[in-house]
Amino acid sequence: MTDVFSSSSEAVLQRPVSVSFLRTDSHAGNLVQLYQIAETCHFITNNQFKKVALQFPDEFLPDAVRVSVEIEKETNAKTFILGDTSYGSCCVDEVAAEHVRADCIVHYGPSCLSPCRRLPLLYVFGKRPIDVQQCAAAFKELYPDCQSHVIILYDVTYSHAIGDLRTLLCEIYPNVVVSLLKTDHSCGAKLVQDSCVDSDHIESQDDRVIFKFGRQFSVKAGQSVDNYSMFYIGQEGLTLTNFMMTWNHCAFSSFNPETHTGRVESVKINKALMKRYYAIERAKDASVVGILVGTLGVANYLTIIEQLKDIIHKAGKKSYMFAMGKINVPKLANFLEIDIYVLVACPENSLLDSSEFYKPVVTPFEMELGCNKHREWTGEYVTDFRDLLPGGSSHVGFPEPDQSAIGEETTDVSLITGALRTCSTTSSEIINGTSESSSLVPRNQTLTVANTNTAASFLSGRSWQGLEPKLGQTPVVKAVAGRRGIAIAYEEEGVGNKDASTPLQKS
């Protein structure tokens, strides 16, 4: 049990650390090219930035000082290195940048491309090595039919090679669509390169353009994304999982540039969706919900938090908000009163495997499914919480309470416990937006006390509820002298106890 709440210091010292290829290449003299320092300096000088925050993921930190020195040498700006980000390294840490009053942020390495709103931003993905010829050969082996409709997605660190891959494939495969990396320009974000793909091949008057997760691609008129297969370039990880959960009706295959192998993804998406549906049922059973703040940089995160508070309250549940940085098992284990947690984070970090946690952790989409009876489970899955906001592609309004149904309660059966659960969403206090209930309300002077607060209900069910004063039930006595000494041997315990009465020898 101690390993769950604390890490072994010996294990930490002996833990192996994987070093990215970028560090190896930088020692070979390719630092300027790999980190695209010339383009970065051009971005800084053109905008006359004086303070620049450089955000590196953990595996790139060995090169951070050298990159910082090169940038300061070429510009008049003062640089600050951001390490140990508050949340996921794929997200832009605007809070840390504002601590040093930075004028802009340069984000290095893999990114989820979630939009930000506070500071100007430049993405530098780096250039991971990839054999384009082998990638094209793996594609041809996976899709022997030249008329196959395929959308090519990729990890951002391989965007530098996508133009060459498109040249090799599009003459043979006329129905192949290559996605283009795009940022939300309203937040002032820029990319060092635009995937080297001509935008004329992306947009067409008749084609329907789709923009999601920082990727833009088009599907032919009269067709949907479900009619296409997906080919992903990159390693297995959160990015691929996010794509597969979102477009779960599409057949996925992938090419791993590190192992130079292509394969049909055999991940049981249906099994993963069933696991998420179980979490939705847990959300329906929950009475107390903890809202975990998993980002402070993604745009509209405060809006979705307020929306979650509102629907949880309207569903007759109690909510608490937690801002604790990177979450782990020991942190969440401190709050036994919470029945379920909902994590507000970027799309890639929202799909948290909570099998090790004592209480399940769900996404905002799953929480809405558990609270909003107008939102039904259709197999569609939403990882980007911005789609749930008003005006979003997957927004479903919460049903307005019926004035004639005040006081009525609807019930259904829990698929987990088999017990009846009450959905009290039509109380007058919810309609009026006020609550006059207290933790304890006397129901009958001669009978008992009814708990109307979820926290008080949890407290009443615990075997130990704290010290009991028992006012008026115990006799009043004068104060007497208590025990003297230390816990291992009180003075009165020394009589007749040879071990306890033996004085300690001075060394």
Side-chain angles (χ1 to χ4, degrees):
M1 182 60 70
T2 56
D3 293 339
V4 176
F5 295 96
S6 62
S7 301
S8 171
S9 57
E10 183 179 355
V12 172
L13 294 176
Q14 297 179 357
R15 183 182 302 161
V17 178
S18 59
V19 180
S20 173
F21 75 93
L22 285 177
R23 188 182 180 188
T24 304
D25 290 345
S26 66
H27 287 288
N30 295 328
L31 183 75
V32 175
Q33 181 181 0
L34 288 172
Y35 289 95
Q36 298 165 298
I37 294 179
E39 293 86 346
T40 304
C41 294
H42 180 73
F43 169 75
I44 295 173
T45 54
N46 279 1
N47 294 279
Q48 299 180 350
F49 295 132
K50 300 301 180 183
K51 292 184 178 181
V52 181
L54 308 178
Q55 180 179 339
F56 292 86
D58 293 342
E59 61 269 23
F60 293 177
L61 282 177
D63 293 331
V65 175
R66 299 180 61 189
V67 173
S68 175
V69 171
E70 290 292 334
I71 292 177
E72 290 187 348
K73 187 187 302 182
E74 300 295 331
T75 63
N76 295 324
K78 175 66 176 177
T79 61
F80 300 87
I81 298 174
L82 306 182
D84 189 22
T85 55
S86 303
Y87 300 98
S89 60
C90 65
C91 299
V92 179
D93 196 351
E94 292 182 309
V95 175
E98 288 182 336
H99 287 169
V100 296
R101 298 181 179 179
D103 299 323
C104 70
I105 305 176
V106 180
H107 183 280
Y108 292 94
S111 172
C112 59
L113 298 178
S114 297
C116 304
R117 291 287 184 266
R118 302 179 186 175
L119 296 173
L121 171 64
L122 176 68
Y123 287 106
V124 179
F125 303 126
K127 298 180 180 180
R128 287 189 176 182
I130 178 175
D131 191 326
V132 179
Q133 295 291 340
Q134 285 189 346
C135 182
F139 183 92
K140 295 176 182 178
E141 182 179 353
L142 291 168
Y143 301 100
D145 184 5
C146 295
Q147 299 300 319
S148 300
H149 290 73
V150 184
I151 297 174
I152 297 179
L153 302 170
Y154 46 90
D155 187 277
V156 294
T157 54
Y158 300 108
S159 60
H160 62 95
I162 299 304
D164 296 335
L165 178 64
R166 187 191 182 283
T167 303
L168 294 175
L169 293 179
C170 286
E171 293 182 358
I172 306 174
Y173 295 86
N175 296 321
V176 165
V177 178
V178 180
S179 61
L180 174 67
L181 295 182
K182 286 287 187 179
T183 58
D184 188 350
H185 294 289
S186 63
C187 60
K190 295 183 179 180
L191 305 177
V192 170
Q193 73 279 337
D194 284 334
S195 306
C196 301
V197 180
D198 188 359
S199 60
D200 293 338
H201 297 284
I202 298 297
E203 297 184 16
S204 177
Q205 291 182 352
D206 298 331
D207 294 349
R208 184 166 64 93
V209 179
I210 297 175
F211 177 65
K212 203 169 187 65
F213 307 127
R215 276 81 174 174
Q216 179 178 295
F217 55 88
S218 60
V219 295
K220 292 185 177 181
Q223 295 191 0
S224 66
V225 180
D226 296 342
N227 301 125
Y228 285 76
S229 299
M230 299 286 185
F231 181 72
Y232 176 76
I233 302 173
Q235 293 77 32
E236 183 178 357
L238 295 176
T239 304
L240 178 58
T241 302
N242 181 37
F243 290 158
M244 295 181 68
M245 292 293 289
T246 301
W247 295 300
N248 52 63
H249 295 292
C250 301
F252 269 80
S253 59
S254 66
F255 174 77
N256 190 335
E258 292 187 355
T259 60
H260 308 288
T261 56
R263 69 174 186 179
V264 176
E265 288 298 327
S266 58
V267 177
K268 300 295 189 298
I269 291 298
N270 290 335
K271 184 178 180 180
L273 289 174
M274 290 174 62
K275 186 176 181 181
R276 306 309 302 189
Y277 185 74
Y278 172 79
I280 294 171
E281 287 298 316
R282 292 291 299 269
K284 292 179 180 179
D285 290 344
S287 298
V288 183
V289 181
I291 301 176
L292 295 174
V293 182
T295 179
L296 296 177
V298 179
N300 299 323
Y301 79 96
L302 289 175
T303 308
I304 190 63
I305 289 176
E306 292 301 320
Q307 180 171 307
L308 284 172
K309 288 181 179 180
D310 183 59
I311 64 172
I312 290 172
H313 175 65
K314 289 181 178 179
K317 306 177 188 295
K318 181 72 174 180
S319 66
Y320 296 90
M321 188 169 62
F322 299 90
M324 56 179 65
K326 296 178 181 178
I327 63 175
N328 53 40
V329 176
K331 286 182 180 179
L332 299 189
N334 291 322
F335 308 99
L336 298 178
E337 297 83 359
I338 305 299
D339 296 325
I340 196 169
Y341 292 94
V342 52
L343 176 61
V344 177
C346 72
E348 294 188 6
N349 288 322
S350 294
L351 294 171
L352 181 66
D353 184 9
S354 58
S355 56
E356 296 182 357
F357 291 83
Y358 292 98
K359 299 297 174 63
V361 181
V362 300
T363 64
F365 172 70
E366 293 166 348
M367 196 69 230
E368 279 210 0
L369 278 169
C371 295
N372 190 349
K373 64 180 181 180
H374 280 195
R375 184 183 290 277
E376 298 181 355
W377 175 262
T378 60
E380 176 196 13
Y381 199 84
V382 180
T383 57
D384 191 349
F385 62 75
R386 293 180 300 139
D387 293 336
L388 305 176
L389 297 174
S393 58
S394 300
H395 173 70
V396 175
F398 199 89
E400 292 295 332
D402 187 3
Q403 294 283 349
S404 62
I406 295 178
E408 295 183 4
E409 294 181 346
T410 59
T411 58
D412 63 350
V413 179
S414 170
L415 299 182
I416 299 177
T417 63
L420 286 175
R421 57 190 175 201
T422 302
C423 302
S424 56
T425 60
T426 55
S427 63
S428 58
E429 65 180 33
I430 292 178
I431 294 176
N432 298 328
T434 59
S435 176
E436 298 179 355
S437 63
S438 58
S439 59
L440 294 177
V441 179
R443 177 185 298 173
N444 191 305
Q445 297 294 337
T446 59
L447 295 177
T448 184
V449 175
N451 292 323
T452 62
N453 184 280
T454 51
S457 300
F458 179 85
L459 179 63
S460 64
R462 298 187 63 172
S463 58
W464 188 80
Q465 302 178 7
L467 298 177
E468 299 179 1
K470 294 185 178 180
L471 298 177
Q473 302 179 22
T474 54
V476 179
V477 297
K478 293 183 178 180
V480 296
R483 293 180 176 181
R484 300 182 61 184
I486 58 177
I488 194 174
Y490 291 110
E491 292 182 359
E492 60 271 19
E493 292 178 348
V495 181
N497 189 337
K498 183 177 179 180
D499 294 335
S501 60
T502 304
L504 298 176
Q505 300 293 332
K506 294 183 178 180
S507 58

